[in-house]
C-alpha cells in the first residue's frame, strides 16, 4: 500500500494539470476529447507519476515533425516510445491502446516533463506527429492502435519477447472499456494467460461510455471482472479516481497477468459536462454560449 | 464556380427513403451520429440495432438477417467495414451473395484520424471479392440517390459515402445511375476519369485547361464494380495524348487499375497516368494538406496534363485557388471521429 504523501500529492498535481490542459485546448480549438481527460486523469497521472519505472529523458522533448511512414529498408522512423526513455531490462513499458486518448496522454507527458510545455500547440496540425488520434510516431505511443483493441495482443507479443529475454520490467497496457466489445481483446486475454505472461499489466478506464453514449445502451460488457477472471487473469476492481488504491493495486505482486478495472466518472472535475449527457465522447461546443460556460469553468479550475 | 453546400444530405434522405420499407434495417458499430443515422435510430427504433464496437460480429449478424429476408444497412467508417472483418465480409456475406449494404464513411484521406482511419485500399480489396458491387458518391445528389441504386442490387454492395457538408455538383434531377459514368466534358486531347471527391477537385482545373486550349474528355465514375460501362470504353478510345485517372485511394487496385485493365483489354495504347496515393500509407492531417502532399490535387492534375502533352501550360497556384469553390470541407477537422 502506497501511503507516501509526497507521491500522492505529485500525482494529484499531474491529474489536475491533465484536466486543465485538455480543457484549455478544447476551448481554444472548439473541441476535444474532454470526457476522457475527466475519467482517466488519475489513471494516467498514477502511471506516469508513480507506477511506471521509465528511464529519464533529460530535457522535455520537442515533438518531431512528421517525416514519413515506416518503409522497407528505411530506419529513420522513430516511434513515440522515445518519450518514455530508453527501454531496458529493468524498465517498464507502456502501450497505450485507445489512441483517441492522445490529447490526454500528451498532457500527462507534459506534466511529467517528457514532452515540451508547448507540445499541444502541434496537436492536429498539418505535418505534425502530435496527431489527434495517436499513431506510433506520436508522443507516448509505440504502436498504431487507432483501430481499437489491437494493442493488448501486440503488448502480449512484447511481454512474451521480454519473458524470453528474461527482462525484469513490467509491460503495461492502458485500455478503454469500449475495447472490451471487440473479440480480439478476449483472444489476447486467453493467449496471455496460456503463455504465462505474469508481467503483463492492464489498466482500464471503465467510464462506461463510448461514442453513442452509455455502454448499457450500446452493447453491455458487464460483468467485466467476472469475464476477465474466467480467462485466468487476476482482476482488481477499484475507484479510478482513488490514487492510493490505484497505486496499491498496481504494485500488488501477482502470479498471473493482472487487470486493474478502474471505474471512473466521465465528468469528474468538470461538472458542467453533466449537461451534455448522454453523449460525452467528444466535446464540441454547440455555440458561443456553451463555450463561455466552459471558459468560466476553466477560470474556476485554475483559481 | 461555386456549388450549393448541402448539410448532411444522407441524414433526412435516408429516413424518408426507408419509411415504407419495413425490411430495411440499420446496424451500427458505435459511430451512429458520426455516420448520420442518429436521427434514423430515433425515428425507427425498432429497425435500428446497435452492435457495439464489434465489427466482425456485425458482419455476421448482417449475413444472418439478410438470409432471413431483411436488408441490413451497415453504417460505420469505411475502414471498419473491410479491414478487420474481411473474412466475415467474404465468407458470411459475399460468398452467399447476400443483400447486405455496407455504407462506409470517410473514404481515403478525408479524415485527420490518420492511418487507422484512412481507407486507402478498400476499393482494391473489395474489388477482388466476387459478387461485390462498389459504388462511390461524388456529391450530394449522389449521396441521396445511391440508396435506391444499392437497394435494387441483388447482392452485397459497398458504398463509399460522404457526410457533413457536401457540395451539390450534379442537378438533383440527374440521379446516380448504375454503371453509367457522367460525361462532364468532351474533348480529344486527354481523357480524364475521376471518382468520389476527386471529381470536384478536378473540376477546378478543367476551365483553366480549356482556357489553355486543351480539350479534355472528363468522366465522373460512380460505379467501380462492375466496370463495364461502354461510355468509359469509348472515352478511353478517343484520347489522343493520354489518359489520366484521379482517385481518393491507392493507385493500386482502384479506379486507375480498373481503367488500365479496360485499356489493355481493348488495345488502347496511349500513356496512362494514375493520380492517387502512390503505394504508401498516409498520416493524420487535413484533407487539403494531404492532397497536396501526395500530389492528388488539381495542381497534380495540371502536371499530369502537361506531361501528357509535353508542354507547359503556365497555370499558377493563384489561378487555381480562385477556382476553389469552398475551403475544402472546412468543418472536417471539427467532426467527431
Ligand atoms: C475497431 C474500431 N472501431 C471503431 C472505432 C471508432 N471509435 C473510436 S473511439 C470509439 C469508442 C470506443 O469506446 P471507448 O474508448 O470506451 O470510448 P470513450 O470512453 O472514450 O467515449 C469508437 C467506436 C475505432 N477507433 N476502432
Ligand atoms: Mg469508455
Amino acid at each position: 500500500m502506497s501511503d507516501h504523501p509526497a507521491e500522492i500529492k505529485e500525482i494529484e498535481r499531474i491529474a489536475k494539470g491533465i484536466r486543465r490542459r485538455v480543457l484549455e485546448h478544447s476551448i481554444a480549438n472548439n473541441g476535444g476529447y474532454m470526457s476522457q481527460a475527466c475519467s482517466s486523469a488519475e489513471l494516467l497521472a498514477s502511471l506516469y507519476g508513480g507506477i511506471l519505472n521509465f528511464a529519464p529523458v533529460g530535457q522535455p522533448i520537442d515533438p518531431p515533425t512528421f517525416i514519413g511512414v515506416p518503409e522497407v529498408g528505411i530506419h529513420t522512423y522513430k516511434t513515440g516510445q522515445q518519450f518514455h526513455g530508453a527501454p531496458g531490462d529493468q524498465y517498464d513499458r507502456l502501450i497505450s491502446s485507445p489512441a483517441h486518448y492522445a490529447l490526454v496522454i500528451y498532457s500527462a507527458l507534459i506534466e511529467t516533463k517528457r514532452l515540451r510545455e508547448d507540445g499541444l500547440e502541434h496537436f492536429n496540425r498539418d505535418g505534425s506527429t502530435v496527431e489527434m488520434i495517436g499513431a506510433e510516431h506520436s508522443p507516448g505511443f509505440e504502436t498504431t492502435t487507432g483501430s481499437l483493441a489491437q494493442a493488448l495482443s501486440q503488448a502480449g507479443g512484447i511481454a512474451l519477447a521480454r519473458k524470453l529475454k528474461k527482462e525484469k520490467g513490467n509491460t503495461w497496457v492502458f485500455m478503454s472499456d469500449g475495447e472490451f466489445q471487440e473479440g480480439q481483446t478476449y483472444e489476447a486475454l486467453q493467449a496471455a494467460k496460456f503463455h504465462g505472461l505474469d508481467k503483463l499489466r492492464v489498466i482500464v478506464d471503465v467510464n462506461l461510455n463510448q461514442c453513442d453514449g452509455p455502454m448499457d445502451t450500446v452493447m453491455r460488457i458487464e460483468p467485466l471482472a467476472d469475464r476477465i477472471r474466467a480467462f485466468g487473469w487476476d482482476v482488481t476492481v477499484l475507484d479510478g479516481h482513488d490514487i492510493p488504491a490505484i497505486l496499491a493495486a498496481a504494485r500488488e505482486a501477482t502470479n498471473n497477468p493482472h487487470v486493474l478495472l478502474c471505474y471512473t466518472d466521465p465528468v469528474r472535475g468538470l461538472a458542467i459536462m453533466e449537461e451534455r449527457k448522454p453523449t460525452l465522447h467528444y466535446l464540441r461546443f454547440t455555440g458561443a454560449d456553451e463555450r463561455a460556460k466552459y471558459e468560466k469553468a476553466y477560470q474556476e479550475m485554475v483559481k | 464556380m461555386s456549388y450549393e453546400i448541402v448539410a448532411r444530405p444522407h441524414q433526412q434522405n435516408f429516413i424518408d427513403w426507408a419509411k415504407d420499407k419495413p425490411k430495411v434495417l440499420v446496424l451500427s458499430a458505435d459511430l451512429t451520429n458520426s455516420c448520420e443515422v442518429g436521427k434514423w435510430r430515433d425515428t425507427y427504433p425498432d429497425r435500428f440495432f446497435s452492435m457495439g464496437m464489434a465489427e466482425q460480429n456485425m458482419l455476421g449478424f448482417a449475413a444472418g438477417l439478410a438470409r432471413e429476408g431483411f436488408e441490413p444497412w451497415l453504417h460505420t467508417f469505411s475502414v471498419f467495414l473491410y479491414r478487420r472483418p474481411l473474412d466475415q465480409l467474404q465468407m458470411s456475406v459475399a460468398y452467399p451473395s447476400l443483400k447486405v449494404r455496407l455504407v462506409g464513411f470517410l473514404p481515403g484521406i478525408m479524415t485527420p484520424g490518420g492511418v487507422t482511419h484512412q481507407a486507402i485500399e478498400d476499393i482494391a480489396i473489395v474489388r477482388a471479392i466476387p459478387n461485390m458491387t462498389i459504388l462511390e458518391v461524388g456529391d450530394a445528389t449522389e449521396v441521396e440517390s445511391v440508396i435506391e441504386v444499392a437497394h435494387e442490387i441483388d447482392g452485397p454492395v459497398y458504398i463509399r459515402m460522404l457526410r457533413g457538408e457536401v457540395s451539390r455538383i450534379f442537378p438533383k434531377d440527374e440521379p446516380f445511375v448504375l454503371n453509367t459514368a457522367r460525361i462532364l466534358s468532351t474533348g480529344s486531347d486527354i481523357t480524364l476519369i475521376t471518382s468520389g471527391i476527386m471529381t470536384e477537385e478536378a473540376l477546378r482545373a478543367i476551365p483553366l485547361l480549356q482556357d489553355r486550349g486543351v480539350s479534355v474528355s472528363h468522366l465522373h465514375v460512380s460505379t467501380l464494380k462492375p466496370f463495364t460501362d461502354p461510355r468509359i470504353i469509348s472515352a478511353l478510345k478517343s484520347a489522343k495524348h493520354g489518359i489520366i485517372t484521379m482517385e481518393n485511394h491507392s493507385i493500386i487496385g482502384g479506379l486507375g487499375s480498373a481503367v488500365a485493365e479496360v485499356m489493355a483489354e481493348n488495345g488502347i495504347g496511349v500513356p496512362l497516368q494514375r493520380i492517387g496515393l502512390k503505394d504508401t500509407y498516409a498520416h493524420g492531417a487535413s484533407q487539403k494538406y494531404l492532397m497536396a502532399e501526395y500530389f492528388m490535387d488539381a495542381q497534380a492534375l495540371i502536371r499530369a496534363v502537361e506531361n501528357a502533352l509535353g508542354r507547359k501550360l503556365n497555370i499558377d497556384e493563384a489561378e487555381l485557388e480562385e477556382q476553389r469553390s469552398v475551403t475544402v470541407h472546412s468543418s472536417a477537422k471539427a467532426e467527431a471521429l
Side-chain angles (χ1 to χ4, degrees):
Chain A
M1 182 84 196
S2 163
D3 40 25
H4 201 299
E7 183 182 37
I8 291 168
K9 249 197 140 102
E10 169 64 2
I11 292 172
E12 282 170 354
R13 183 197 63 78
I14 298 168
K16 214 174 148 192
I18 290 173
R19 286 196 181 86
R20 179 182 61 74
R21 284 181 195 277
V22 174
L23 179 56
E24 181 182 57
H25 183 87
S26 302
I27 291 169
N29 292 275
N30 193 32
Y33 289 93
M34 188 69 229
S35 71
Q36 291 78 1
C38 292
S39 59
S40 71
E42 281 75 22
L43 307 184
L44 287 161
S46 298
L47 281 167
Y48 280 104
I51 297 167
L52 296 169
N53 178 25
F54 277 166
V57 294
Q59 289 300 308
I61 302 171
D62 192 13
T65 51
F66 176 77
I67 56 158
V69 295
E71 276 182 77
V72 180
I74 294 176
H75 300 284
T76 44
Y77 184 90
K78 258 194 172 165
T79 76
Q81 205 266 329
Q82 58 170 317
F83 291 80
H84 289 169
D89 169 25
Q90 74 281 20
Y91 290 123
D92 293 333
R93 298 277 284 279
L94 172 65
I95 313 293
S96 276
S97 187
H100 62 287
Y101 278 63
L103 184 55
V104 193
I105 289 164
Y106 303 148
S107 299
L109 288 170
I110 293 174
E111 290 297 331
T112 51
K113 302 216 162 15
R114 293 179 172 273
L115 172 60
R116 234 170 65 167
E117 178 79 23
D118 59 359
L120 291 187
E121 283 168 28
H122 303 272
F123 183 85
N124 199 23
R125 292 273 180 273
D126 289 337
S128 145
T129 52
V130 190
E131 292 193 20
M132 172 160 68
I133 307 293
E136 60 192 88
H137 44 252
S138 303
F141 287 86
E142 56 177 298
T143 55
T144 294
T145 50
S147 178
L148 294 177
Q150 294 196 18
L152 185 56
S153 301
Q154 296 181 64
I158 290 169
L160 179 55
R162 298 188 77 192
K163 185 177 168 178
L164 294 173
K165 294 192 268 187
K166 302 197 171 23
E167 292 192 1
K168 289 192 272 304
N170 287 323
T171 300
W172 279 89
V173 187
F174 171 60
M175 291 180 71
S176 69
D177 50 359
E179 297 184 283
F180 285 80
Q181 291 172 339
E182 290 282 1
Q184 184 174 351
T185 297
Y186 298 90
E187 297 177 25
L189 291 174
Q190 165 179 292
K193 169 65 183 176
F194 185 71
H195 291 292
L197 304 180
D198 55 358
K199 288 188 187 306
L200 187 59
R201 298 267 180 280
V202 179
I203 185 162
V204 189
D205 178 8
V206 190
N207 60 13
L208 295 175
N209 270 272
Q210 57 188 123
C211 296
D212 281 5
M215 294 185 85
D216 267 355
T217 65
V218 183
M219 182 60 65
R220 259 185 300 279
I221 56 167
E222 295 286 11
L224 192 54
D226 290 346
R227 283 189 189 186
I228 300 170
R229 274 193 201 105
F231 280 91
W233 283 54
D234 288 343
V235 180
T236 307
V237 176
L238 51 103
D239 170 357
H241 302 292
D242 181 345
I243 294 166
I246 299 167
L247 295 177
R251 286 165 180 163
E252 221 175 277
T254 65
N255 297 319
N256 288 312
H258 186 195
V259 170
L260 277 58
L261 289 183
C262 304
Y263 281 75
T264 60
D265 169 6
V267 304
R268 180 64 61 97
L270 190 58
I272 47 165
M273 242 180 9
E274 195 77 35
E275 295 170 18
R276 298 186 65 97
K277 283 183 175 176
T279 45
L280 298 169
H281 178 76
Y282 189 83
L283 171 66
R284 184 169 8 157
F285 302 119
T286 49
D289 285 358
E290 193 182 20
R291 191 194 185 115
K293 272 198 212 170
Y294 279 77
E295 260 160 30
K296 222 174 125 208
Y298 177 78
Q299 294 310 328
E300 287 294 313
M301 204 181 259
V302 295
K303 252 214 295 245
Chain B
M1 184 179 32
S2 163
Y3 304 112
E4 176 203 356
I5 302 293
V6 185
R8 302 180 184 274
H10 182 55
Q11 180 169 270
Q12 189 58 40
N13 177 66
F14 193 48
I15 292 174
D16 298 342
W17 178 84
K19 193 173 165 41
D20 56 355
K21 299 183 183 66
K23 300 279 192 209
V24 166
L25 312 176
V26 167
L27 270 57
S28 180
D30 193 28
L31 287 168
T32 303
N33 290 322
S34 296
C35 297
E36 298 186 2
V37 277
K39 215 174 147 195
W40 201 100
R41 170 197 57 207
D42 300 340
T43 312
Y44 308 118
D46 298 340
R47 290 198 272 141
F48 176 90
F49 296 91
S50 171
M51 300 308 296
M53 186 175 68
E55 296 81 5
Q56 296 172 315
N57 181 61
M58 176 164 71
L59 268 288
F61 264 69
L65 287 161
R67 280 183 189 270
E68 295 299 317
F70 288 95
E71 186 180 337
W73 289 69
L74 279 51
H75 281 65
T76 186
F77 295 166
S78 292
V79 271
F80 302 131
L81 284 169
Y82 74 96
R83 275 193 184 159
R84 190 177 307 219
L86 180 56
D87 201 356
Q88 286 80 3
L89 171 58
Q90 298 230 25
M91 291 303 107
S92 303
V93 173
Y95 177 72
S97 192
L98 297 168
K99 286 203 229 176
V100 171
R101 283 68 172 96
L102 309 169
V103 191
F105 290 78
L106 298 176
I109 53 163
M110 297 189 73
T111 163
V115 62
T116 55
H117 285 60
Q118 292 161 340
I120 59 164
E121 80 304 359
D122 51 336
I123 299 169
I125 288 172
V126 180
R127 220 161 61 89
I129 303 175
N131 290 336
M132 292 296 309
T133 295
I134 306 175
L135 311 176
E136 176 168 20
V137 302
D139 87 325
T141 294
E142 293 196 337
V143 168
E144 290 158 356
S145 51
V146 70
I147 301 299
E148 182 62 26
V149 172
H151 174 65
E152 289 297 325
I153 293 168
D154 187 16
V157 182
Y158 173 63
I159 304 172
R160 280 188 134 207
M161 196 55 153
L162 296 175
R163 71 171 197 188
E165 294 177 357
V166 184
S167 305
R168 188 180 301 284
I169 302 173
F170 312 122
K172 229 178 143 75
D173 59 1
E174 290 179 22
F176 193 122
V177 181
L178 184 68
N179 207 17
T180 308
R182 293 177 192 269
I183 299 170
L184 304 182
S185 61
T186 49
S188 54
D189 291 334
I190 302 283
T191 291
L192 169 66
I193 315 270
T194 61
S195 56
I197 57 165
M198 301 306 261
T199 296
E200 183 172 347
E201 183 65 19
L203 284 170
R204 293 173 53 210
I206 300 290
L208 301 174
L209 292 170
Q210 286 164 340
D211 177 69
R212 301 301 195 276
V214 185
S215 112
V216 182
S217 182
H218 180 195
L219 277 69
H220 167 72
V221 172
S222 45
T223 302
L224 292 157
K225 188 184 179 183
F227 202 75
T228 53
D229 178 1
R231 293 174 171 217
I232 295 178
I233 299 170
S234 85
L236 294 175
K237 282 183 175 159
S238 73
K240 262 203 303 247
H241 298 292
I243 293 165
I244 300 168
T245 57
M246 220 173 152
E247 61 194 306
N248 175 23
H249 185 270
S250 167
I251 59 165
I252 298 178
L255 174 70
S257 291
V259 165
E261 289 161 16
V262 170
M263 287 171 63
E265 282 161 358
N266 289 276
I268 298 167
V270 291
L272 166 69
Q273 298 178 74
R274 291 167 296 161
I275 293 173
L277 278 173
K278 307 241 167 6
D279 194 20
T280 180
Y281 286 108
H283 60 113
S286 66
Q287 179 184 320
K288 186 179 175 201
Y289 180 89
L290 292 173
M291 282 173 78
E293 178 181 7
Y294 292 106
F295 305 106
M296 294 165 67
D297 57 1
Q299 189 73 56
L301 171 59
I302 289 166
R303 291 289 102 78
V305 172
E306 289 176 336
N307 258 341
L309 299 176
R311 64 180 166 96
K312 289 265 170 248
L313 296 169
N314 300 316
I315 296 170
D316 64 27
E317 191 58 53
E319 264 179 292
L320 255 180
E321 209 49 47
E322 275 169 38
Q323 300 291 326
R324 186 178 289 284
S325 58
V326 283
T327 43
V328 176
H329 297 271
S330 50
S331 69
K333 287 203 125 185
E335 290 283 356
L337 289 175

